[in-house]
Amino acid sequence: MKFALFTGCVAHGATRELMVSTKLAAQALGIEFVEMKSAACCGAGVVSEKSPLLADTLNARTIALAEAQGLDLVTICSTCQGQLKKTECHINGDEEYKKKINHLLSDGGHQYDGRKSRIKHFANILASEEGMRRLKERVVRPLKGLKCAAFYGCYVLRPSELSEFDDPDNPTALEDIFTALGATPVDYPSRTKCCGFPIVMMNKKASLEMAGNALLDAVESGADCVVTGCPLCHLNLDSYQPEIDKLLKKKYAIPILHLPQLVALALGHTPKELEMDKHIVSTTKVNRILASH
Amino acid sequence: MATFRIKRYNPEKQPEPYYEDFDLDIPKGATLLDCINLIKWTKDGSLSYRMSCRSAICGSCGMKANGHALLACQRQADSLLDKDGTVTIEPLGNMKPIKDLVVDFKPFWDKVNKVQPYLQTSAEAPVGKERTQSPEQFRLIDDTSTCIMCGNCYSDCNTLEVDDNFLGPAALAKAQRFVCDSRDEKTLERVTELSKPGGIWDCTHCAECVERCPKPAQPFHRIKEIMTVALEEGVHNNNGARHALSFTRSVKASGRLNENQLPVESMGYFNIKGLLELVPVGLRMLLKGKIPPIFHKSIDDVKDVKRIYKELNQ
Ligand code: SF4
Ligand code: SF4
Ligand code: SF4
Ligand code: SF4
Ligand code: FES
């Protein structure tokens, strides 16, 4: 299994532990990731506010890069995944638009085809038949007793017409992965909700309340930790958790893990190697539960 | 036999809502609304809900099935059953229930009215014919004009769950109908108003409104169209606009997002209060070594990205 890895920006910035754990998880699973070093930011649905054509052109360029490598493209961020899929859907099926985009790309030596590379979130790969087989085969430390609440991140789920990730209302990819790792998935209504991150700069109170409600829901459903496939969700749920506590007068202290961290834990890596000590909310609770089983 | 678990509410009899199960054999091809009608006609005449057209046109039969808004007349009941053969029916969200599945739409309509949903122009009306548009001009508002005001988007909107002040998807979609209307002369005034708190920049991108909309109106896409017009019209003095501009500039400069610059530029360099709000989270991240590198690194071949920006005049 070999993929072109679109890292996104945040995995090189505020959530570097995501990059570290992605590499370790992939290695342990015998999956080869070739990092796309000349791909531009996906625009996070923000560049398209300024210019939809600009965002689509940049993302078409990224997809074209993977196509030229002859590899399927993998993302480690729900937002990146959503944006790249959105561009793909905008262009495929609209020949005129495709011509226009390719005209813009041609001077840089790129050509978007649209059928050569598939765009997948790391979770899609892990939840595939082959991914599951490898997970089950290589788990050395089953995450027994760890109750995990999945937090999908809206961009992989909606609009489902564009994202083609999973059933938007009843996704199971993350929970299937938890089970394969020996952990216990926790069902709770907020798992498909928005964390509020996109408006944290515009309407902080609403943003943090959204994140807080989701955390409360997870805690009340008995979760020991929340696991997300989106570093932006991670920022709101983890980095802002002290402010969320203050705003909602609560004390959640629920650890938030990146999906690859959880996977790599079960594959034998230590929390230290996965830089879980970098999180704002302490993850010792997770270590304790794992040690007690 | 299927079970319809319906949320009942009648404040005249009992202050708290409760769930009541009705068992029913679903007739072949019956919609959810057909089944609810059968329950009302054969089991409990007091069950209250709205309906009229039975063909996804009037927009009255919006309700939640298994937690998500839909038009009861547009979906086959069979397709909604869970593995135990049950479907849970509740009133639309983000609005106050009046009785059973009937909710109070007043805030919804108030917000639609607030965006001044009518053409504003000083041009004389042409005599004996309509104010016409070219097909290209019409295409920009074609999707929003399909809205049937069912409130499904409003029901499931994630921002509205935490902020009543938000205009919400349906009103904003309606606003796009006039912002992008070639005959309307109030574009700048409209986008200025819509850029204030409670407007376009409070949308959290959850796209629930797109998922739940039974028509091509699909508010989130329309909201983004208003954002683009607002930025083009130069309405930049708010965090949402500053955020979009800073983000776009950052990708131009290095091919990637500059996470250190973005929050500061979104708040605005002279917004002392806003900047101070960034300090606690910034400090926390600094102490954990989570602050992105101060010397922001570019992607390889950033030249090509700049070239694309230039060709698009961005
Ligand atoms: S989601 Fe963010 S950080 Fe991720 S690449 Fe996309 S924009 Fe850049
Ligand atoms: S949940 Fe929040 S950060 Fe995550 S994908 Fe949605 S908007 Fe993005
Ligand atoms: S995308 Fe925006 S308007 Fe639509 S439901 Fe989400 S927050 Fe509400
Ligand atoms: S935008 Fe769609 S979901 Fe919202 S009221 Fe109109 S038709 Fe209903
Ligand atoms: S009854 Fe008119 S839309 Fe369903």
Side-chain angles (χ1 to χ4, degrees):
Chain A
M1 284 177 125
K2 187 173 172 185
F3 298 90
L5 173 67
F6 179 74
T7 64
C9 319
V10 180
H12 282 296
T15 60
R16 267 162 289 174
E17 69 277 6
L18 169 61
M19 199 57 213
V20 171
S21 53
T22 299
K23 283 191 176 153
L24 292 176
Q27 242 163 37
L29 290 168
I31 300 175
E32 196 184 334
F33 281 165
V34 187
E35 194 176 329
M36 305 176 71
K37 295 204 162 152
S38 56
C41 170
C42 73
V46 177
V47 170
S48 54
E49 294 167 356
K50 179 78 170 56
S51 163
L53 177 58
L54 172 63
D56 278 342
T57 310
L58 293 177
N59 287 335
R61 180 178 169 279
T62 297
I63 300 168
L65 285 167
E67 288 181 332
Q69 283 175 275
L71 296 173
D72 281 344
L73 187 158
V74 63
T75 63
I76 48 175
C77 166
S78 299
T79 306
C80 300
Q81 174 69 20
Q83 300 316 317
L84 291 171
K85 281 301 286 186
K86 200 174 276 184
T87 291
E88 182 192 60
C89 291
H90 285 168
I91 303 177
N92 293 4
D94 185 345
E95 280 305 315
E96 277 301 298
Y97 195 49
K98 185 166 163 184
K99 251 193 236 144
K100 187 169 173 178
I101 300 252
N102 268 328
H103 181 72
L104 284 161
L105 292 181
S106 60
D107 279 349
H110 305 293
Q111 180 72 28
Y112 172 90
D113 179 87
R115 284 161 307 181
K116 291 191 183 149
S117 293
R118 276 176 303 171
I119 304 161
K120 294 176 178 171
H121 191 283
F122 194 17
N124 292 135
I125 294 169
L126 295 171
S128 69
E129 212 172 301
E130 174 64 12
M132 282 300 197
R133 198 181 56 73
R134 290 196 192 194
L135 280 178
K136 284 176 193 154
E137 210 175 81
R138 299 184 193 212
V139 166
V140 294
R141 178 171 55 191
L143 307 176
K144 265 230 230 60
L146 188 66
K147 294 197 261 346
C148 301
F151 196 83
Y152 281 84
C154 10
Y155 277 118
V156 281
L157 301 174
R158 295 178 297 268
S160 56
E161 201 187 343
L162 307 178
S163 64
E164 302 173 314
F165 174 81
D166 198 338
D167 177 337
D169 294 335
N170 297 299
T172 59
L174 294 183
E175 283 84 355
D176 293 347
I177 296 168
F178 299 167
T179 310
L181 301 175
T184 312
V186 170
D187 190 17
Y188 69 119
S190 297
R191 66 197 186 100
T192 57
K193 289 223 155 145
C194 181
C195 70
F197 186 70
I199 55 170
V200 72
M201 293 294 148
M202 300 76 166
N203 188 343
K204 193 168 173 186
K205 187 167 169 286
S207 168
L208 298 186
E209 217 175 304
M210 256 181 249
N213 289 344
L215 292 178
L216 182 65
D217 193 8
V219 170
E220 284 179 348
S221 309
D224 300 315
C225 61
V226 171
V227 181
T228 178
C230 178
L232 304 182
C233 303
H234 193 275
L235 283 177
N236 232 32
L237 299 175
D238 179 62
S239 301
Y240 277 103
Q241 210 178 106
E243 263 132 319
I244 295 171
D245 282 353
K246 219 163 111 196
L247 179 77
L248 303 185
K249 302 199 176 58
K250 290 263 159 54
K251 195 88 198 72
Y252 297 113
I254 181 163
I256 317 293
L257 303 191
H258 299 284
L259 176 66
Q261 286 178 324
L262 190 81
V263 173
L265 275 177
L267 299 175
H269 285 286
T270 64
K272 183 101 189 105
E273 287 171 320
L274 303 169
E275 299 194 356
M276 281 164 56
D277 52 345
K278 279 236 161 98
H279 295 192
I280 299 298
V281 180
S282 163
T283 54
T284 47
K285 187 172 162 201
V286 175
N287 309 349
R288 223 175 30 238
I289 295 168
L290 293 182
S292 71
H293 282 274
Chain B
M1 185 70 76
T3 304
F4 292 77
R5 211 171 133 66
I6 303 183
K7 192 170 187 182
R8 304 294 308 265
Y9 177 56
N10 183 356
E12 285 170 13
K13 295 219 167 116
Q14 184 184 328
E16 292 305 318
Y18 59 96
Y19 288 86
E20 187 173 0
D21 287 356
F22 295 95
D23 292 334
L24 189 77
D25 281 316
I26 300 179
K28 196 168 176 299
T31 65
L32 173 60
L33 183 62
D34 292 334
C35 295
I36 293 181
N37 281 335
L38 279 175
I39 292 171
K40 185 174 175 75
W41 296 335
T42 64
K43 294 176 188 288
D44 185 346
S46 74
L47 181 64
S48 302
Y49 50 96
R50 291 192 176 104
M51 62 155 284
S52 177
C53 71
R54 294 184 294 168
S55 45
I57 293 169
C58 72
S60 16
C61 67
M63 57 186 70
K64 275 189 179 178
N66 302 325
H68 306 286
L70 47 67
L71 294 178
C73 69
Q74 201 186 24
R75 298 285 289 275
Q76 301 272 304
D78 270 343
S79 71
L80 298 167
L81 300 179
D82 63 14
K83 9 180 214 328
D84 314 319
T86 303
V87 53
T88 304
I89 308 295
E90 295 162 319
L92 290 179
N94 291 327
M95 287 177 271
K96 269 206 201 74
I98 298 173
K99 184 169 183 279
D100 296 337
L101 304 175
V102 179
V103 298
D104 181 7
F105 263 69
K106 181 156 192 315
F108 175 92
W109 294 118
D110 285 348
K111 287 172 183 175
V112 171
N113 283 333
K114 224 170 147 180
V115 305
Q116 310 189 341
Y118 36 83
L119 194 75
Q120 298 185 40
T121 170
S122 56
E124 245 356 275
V127 188
K129 60 176 187 132
E130 301 81 6
R131 297 176 196 270
T132 52
Q133 283 190 302
S134 69
E136 290 72 40
Q137 288 169 331
F138 179 64
R139 208 160 297 136
L140 301 176
I141 57 172
D142 190 7
D143 286 341
T144 9
S145 24
T146 61
C147 171
I148 55 172
M149 297 280 151
C150 64
N152 286 0
C153 55
Y154 195 95
S155 159
D156 288 18
C157 170
N158 278 206
T159 295
L160 276 171
E161 282 174 9
V162 294
D163 188 355
D164 286 335
N165 190 40
F166 183 47
L167 280 168
L172 288 173
K174 185 56 78 187
Q176 185 273 349
R177 158 76 185 72
F178 294 96
V179 164
C180 297
D181 190 314
S182 57
R183 301 159 296 186
D184 194 271
E185 286 169 0
K186 294 280 189 212
T187 313
L188 177 62
E189 289 83 347
R190 288 182 189 276
V191 292
T192 306
E193 202 51 39
L194 293 167
S195 296
K196 292 182 178 164
I200 46 175
W201 301 108
D202 280 351
C203 160
T204 191
H205 298 202
C206 72
E208 278 289 356
C209 53
V210 175
E211 209 57 40
R212 307 307 154 202
C213 181
K215 298 285 159 183
Q218 315 209 325
F220 180 43
H221 301 322
R222 309 289 85 79
I223 292 171
K224 296 207 36 171
E225 285 158 12
I226 305 177
M227 288 170 170
T228 306
V229 176
L231 294 173
E232 276 166 8
E233 291 279 327
V235 184
H236 295 170
N237 191 18
N238 61 75
N239 288 9
R242 276 190 292 265
H243 178 260
L245 295 172
S246 168
F247 200 119
T248 309
R249 269 198 307 272
S250 158
V251 179
K252 181 182 190 173
S254 62
R256 57 163 66 117
L257 173 64
N258 186 334
E259 294 164 272
N260 289 325
Q261 211 170 324
L262 181 72
V264 176
E265 293 200 347
S266 303
M267 288 298 173
Y269 285 111
F270 303 105
N271 174 1
I272 304 297
K273 186 174 161 281
L275 291 174
L276 281 176
E277 268 180 34
L278 297 172
V279 173
V281 67
L283 271 181
R284 271 200 304 278
M285 292 175 71
L286 185 69
L287 290 174
K288 289 282 187 171
K290 278 177 87 71
I291 288 289
I294 301 291
F295 297 104
H296 183 67
K297 213 172 137 263
S298 294
I299 59 162
D300 294 352
D301 200 15
V302 66
K303 255 194 359 270
D304 189 40
V305 169
K306 290 191 205 259
R307 178 192 62 77
I308 291 172
Y309 267 76
K310 199 162 159 223
E311 287 203 28
L312 291 172
N313 289 321
Q314 289 290 336

